[in-house]
């Protein structure tokens, strides 16, 4: 027995924290890939994304609207605005669910001004040479045409553009102008001045980059949507997370409020405005400009299966102890109807009520909804009591739709142990598991699903992230996620879906970290965790293969984690190896017999950092990125020197 094999037989490493492993570091590991032994089919959409409006992920983030409180519906009417001169708020506007608007009248002196200034979301990001569309609903209440001046002001308080607009009708009409700033600034402001006598009425002031994702006018920030698309996600879970539950039921996410003309989508509080008193964001609301139609459309555009999650009649249980805070069983009908109507909105033909609304919004073809989540992080008997009513109604009307239930807020413990059997009793199709744990937990749990029941509901790892004590997106968090994910892939017959969380965070507006993508008003940073997700979804096989060293299963033995797969669609073998050793490790990958003729050239994609605490920053966004190189196959073997702390993906093509 060689030294390495002696070592791995001595320790039951999968239960040990990372620092305890350091003494057991092999110089050389042999990995055996059995191409003829398929151990699980890998769902084609297994690795996906989870979007929630947390950390200013929607308004101020992915949703490209640059003005905050554009319809004056925040409880403090002028939050986000500074007003000057003669401005009054009125409440009989053209959009019944957003009734407020403003009347600008003469300030009463030729040297005074009437107008207002919007601060954006921690400033307005503008880029020189880019076009921006300013739009506003306006009318001249006294019939005489009125003029306004629209300016972008840079962070030094100097106007960088000035454009004039005439409001020409006593009836409400939408006006648009294109603005082209000649400066780049992350913290610009927008100012609007009344330049005629007045009065003029203005409502729903809006500023969008013209160049949005897929050029949609009510669109998304192009760089952020592209960052999502570059992950090649198979599934897209939305809209949360805790925001579906709300701080209370009134503020729960209600999808029907998020469709139709944006001007008439009612505002909702964002629960992350209150959740952490130490990261308090009193200006955090949901405009719902990014709503369910846009989510479905984005899913389609990035090739991901849409996976909506709905409130089950329970307000956030962390924040509501009393049963009175929740919808009682006999008042659950509207909640269940929302679920049924959502399925019709997504899949119904254009003669159905909700299918017709989808068609009027621009998408007559169905959105191909296959699964729906009911409830987020719920617990206790109140959850299955409600869920069973949803299950019954959905099964009756839409037996083809798969239902996702929840196992609660944590990966183990009383709540989890109670809910899993309940989910089995209710025969939900998939159970959503959430775990935000230390890197050590992720390493120790690479074998978590090896012993899961193969006959029960499948698993959706719906929210997970390794939380280092710094809560940074550092390399050790990414590496431990990569190691853990070898266990997801090996158990792809049980784990059908996996989505990291959260997806986005604004550097000046976050409530929660770590997060996969950080952004400011102009650009974004892809974290090492992002690249781990991207490598898994880009190099995904169709079937997991038996992978072992001669005496172990590579679930952390010798600090090496490995999985391999065959990709029959693209005729390639993919081997993923995570080296958590503190020193470089010589790896020999032996490929077992197969009916395929393997190419003698292989590709190595490697993600590595010598410093496990390092991360990507706005200044150095490419510190840790996947790097490609070539390998040669000799006698069905590949040798690589896997650097300490590295995630290696080896791709070998074959002739089918
Ligand atoms: O991802 C952040 C939050 O974590 C989600 O909203 C919630 O489901 C979980 O507690």
């Amino acid at each position: 027995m060689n030294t390495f094999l002696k070592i791995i037989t001595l320790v039951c490493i999968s239960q040990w924290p990372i620092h305890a492993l350091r003494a057991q570091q092999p110089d050389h590991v042999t990995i055996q890939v059995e191409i003829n032994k398929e151990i699980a089919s890998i769902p084609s959409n297994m690795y996906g994304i989870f979007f929630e409006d947390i950390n200013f992920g929607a308004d101020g983030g992915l949703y490209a609207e640059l003005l905050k409180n554009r319809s004056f519906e925040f409880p403090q009417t002028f939050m986000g605005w500074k007003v000057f001169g003669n401005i009054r708020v009125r409440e009989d506007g053209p959009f019944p669910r957003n009734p407020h608007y403003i009347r600008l009248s003469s300030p009463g002196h030729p040297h005074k001004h009437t107008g207002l200034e919007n601060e954006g979301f921690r400033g307005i990001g503008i880029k020189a040479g880019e076009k921006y569309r300013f739009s506003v609903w306006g009318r001249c209440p006294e019939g005489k045409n009125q003029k306004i001046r629209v300016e972008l002001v840079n962070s030094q308080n100097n106007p960088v553009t000035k454009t004039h607009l005439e409001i020409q009708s006593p009836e409400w009409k939408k006006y648009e102008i294109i603005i082209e700033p000649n400066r780049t600034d992350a913290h610009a402001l927008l100012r609007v001045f009344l330049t005629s006598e007045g009065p003029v009425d203005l409502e729903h002031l809006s500023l969008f980059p013209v160049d949005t994702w897929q050029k949609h006018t009510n669109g998304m920030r192009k760089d952020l949507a592209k960052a999502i698309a570059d992950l090649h996600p198979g599934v897209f879970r939305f809209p949360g997370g805790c925001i579906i539950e709300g701080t209370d039921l009134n503020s729960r996410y209600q999808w029907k409020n998020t469709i139709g003309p944006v001007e008439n989508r009612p505002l909702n509080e964002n629960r992350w405005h209150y959740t952490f008193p130490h990261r308090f964001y009193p200006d955090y609301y949901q405009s719902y400009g990014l709503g369910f139609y846009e989510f479905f459309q984005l899913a389609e555009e990035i090739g991901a299966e849409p996976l909506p999650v709905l409130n089950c009649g329970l307000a956030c249980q962390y924040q509501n102890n009393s049963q009175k805070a929740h919808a009682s069983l006999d008042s659950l009908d509207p909640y269940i109807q929302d679920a049924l109507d959502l399925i019709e909105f997504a899949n119904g033909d254009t003669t159905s009520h909700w299918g017709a609304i989808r068609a009027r919004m621009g998408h007559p073809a169905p959105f191909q909804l296959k699964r729906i989540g009911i409830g987020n992080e719920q617990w206790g008997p109140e959850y299955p009591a409600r869920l069973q009513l949803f299950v019954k109604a959905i099964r009756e009307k839409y037996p083809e739709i798969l239902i996702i239930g929840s196992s609660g807020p944590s990966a183990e413990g009383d709540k989890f142990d109670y809910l899993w059997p309940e989910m089995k009793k209710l025969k939900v199709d998939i159970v959503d598991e959430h775990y935000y744990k230390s890197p050590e937990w992720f390493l120790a749990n690479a074998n978590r699903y090896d012993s899961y029941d193969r006959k029960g509901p499948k698993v959706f790892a719906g929210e997970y992230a390794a939380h280092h004590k710094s809560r940074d997106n550092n390399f050790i968090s990414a590496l431990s996620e990569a190691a853990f994910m070898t266990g997801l892939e090996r158990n792809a017959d049980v784990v059908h879906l996996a989505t990291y969380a959260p997806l986005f965070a604004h550097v000046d507006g976050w409530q929660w970290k770590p997060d996969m993508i950080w952004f400011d008003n102009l650009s974004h940073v892809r974290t090492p965790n992002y690249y781990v997700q991207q490598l898994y979804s880009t190099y995904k096989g169709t079937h997991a293969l038996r992978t072992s060293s001669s005496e172990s299963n590579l679930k952390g033995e010798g600090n090496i984690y490995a999985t391999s797969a065959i990709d029959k669609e693209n005729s390639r073998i993919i081997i993923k190896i995570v080296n958590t050793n503190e020193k470089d490790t010589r790896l020999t990958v032996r490929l077992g017999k197969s009916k395929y003729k393997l190419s003698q050239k292989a590709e190595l994609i490697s993600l590595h950092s010598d410093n496990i605490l390092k991360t990507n920053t706005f200044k150095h966004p490419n510190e840790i990125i996947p790097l490609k190189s070539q390998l040669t196959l000799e006698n069905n073997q590949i040798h690589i020197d896997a650097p300490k702390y590295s995630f290696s993906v080896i791709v070998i093509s074959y002739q089918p």
Side-chain angles (χ1 to χ4, degrees), residues 50 52 54 237 241-243 245 272 318 376-377 434 436 463 501-502 512:
F50 160 56
E52 173 166 26
I54 182 173
R237 174 182 175 222
C242 289
I243 66 157
E245 300 161 31
W272 293 104
Y318 283 112
N376 178 45
E377 290 185 347
H434 293 182
Y436 297 103
E463 290 183 29
W512 178 293

Side-chain angles (χ1 to χ4, degrees), residues 204-508:
H204 196 90
L205 288 80
S206 171
L207 183 71
F208 268 83
V210 170
D211 192 15
T212 55
W213 167 255
Q214 303 287 323
K215 306 266 187 284
H216 298 304
T217 40
N218 181 48
M220 298 183 206
R221 217 174 105 168
K222 195 174 174 182
D223 66 323
L224 298 184
K226 182 166 183 321
I228 295 178
D230 288 349
L231 284 166
H232 312 298
V235 68
F236 177 23
R237 174 182 175 222
F238 57 86
C242 289
I243 66 157
I244 69 151
E245 300 161 31
T247 310
D248 50 29
L249 282 181
N250 281 338
S251 56
R252 75 187 189 277
Y253 196 99
Q254 298 188 58
W255 74 267
K256 287 174 181 165
N257 288 343
T258 76
I259 60 167
V262 285
E263 294 86 348
N264 203 26
R265 298 183 190 177
L267 188 81
N268 194 13
E269 269 171 15
N270 188 308
R271 59 149 296 146
W272 293 104
H273 150 166
Y274 302 101
T275 306
F276 300 125
H278 60 288
R279 296 205 65 82
F280 192 57
Y281 291 94
D283 60 341
Y284 200 178
Y285 287 84
Q286 301 174 79
S287 70
Y288 285 149
L290 179 53
F292 261 44
Y293 179 84
E294 290 76 20
F295 284 133
F296 277 114
Q297 189 178 48
L298 179 63
E300 186 174 82
E301 288 166 351
I302 59 179
E305 178 193 321
L307 176 39
V309 184
L310 297 187
N311 183 294
C312 65
L314 295 171
C316 175
Q317 289 170 274
Y318 283 112
Q319 292 174 338
N320 295 278
N321 289 329
S322 150
Q323 287 302 319
K324 286 196 201 124
H326 307 308
S328 61
L329 292 178
D330 56 11
S331 64
L332 219 53
D333 282 356
Y335 294 77
I336 296 171
Q337 197 57 47
D338 274 357
L340 298 175
D341 291 344
L342 178 63
I343 299 170
E344 186 176 294
F345 177 72
N347 292 353
D349 66 38
T350 53
T351 60
S352 66
H353 176 76
W354 291 101
I357 293 175
R358 181 195 70 237
R360 279 205 296 281
M361 289 185 75
H363 202 286
F367 277 125
Q368 313 291 351
L369 178 71
K370 296 193 180 99
R371 300 182 244 220
I372 190 167
I374 306 294
N376 178 45
E377 290 185 347
Q378 320 305 159
W379 61 77
E382 48 272 57
Y383 176 51
R386 284 162 181 78
L387 181 60
Q388 71 169 333
L389 301 177
F390 283 83
V391 171
K392 185 167 179 292
I394 295 171
R395 296 272 192 246
E396 263 169 32
K397 191 153 184 204
Y398 297 107
E400 73 284 7
I401 295 291
L402 301 180
I403 299 173
I404 302 181
S406 164
S407 61
S410 46
E412 60 238 330
D414 293 350
K415 295 183 174 95
F416 181 88
D417 293 343
Y418 167 73
L419 277 182
W420 249 104
E422 292 296 317
M423 293 304 107
K424 286 185 178 176
K425 267 191 242 159
L426 290 179
K427 295 198 170 56
V428 300
D429 300 286
I430 310 179
V431 176
D432 182 15
E433 295 192 352
H434 293 182
Y435 24 87
Y436 297 103
K437 299 279 199 178
S438 68
E440 288 82 4
W441 184 95
F442 273 82
L443 295 179
N445 277 270
N447 58 359
R448 174 180 176 88
Y449 294 108
D450 292 356
S451 53
Y452 260 51
D453 178 3
R454 268 41 206 176
K455 298 201 184 85
K458 303 302 175 193
V459 172
F460 174 21
E463 290 183 29
Y464 65 91
H467 284 191
H468 181 255
K469 57 181 185 301
S470 65
R471 298 285 292 258
D472 288 337
N473 284 93
N474 54 26
F475 193 60
I476 186 59
S477 66
L479 198 65
S480 62
E481 286 153 9
F484 174 79
M485 289 173 79
T486 60
L488 300 187
E489 186 165 290
R490 183 172 59 246
N491 289 288
D493 57 327
V494 169
V495 184
H496 276 196
L497 301 170
T499 55
Y500 178 97
L503 183 58
F504 283 123
H506 191 301
V507 282
D508 298 323

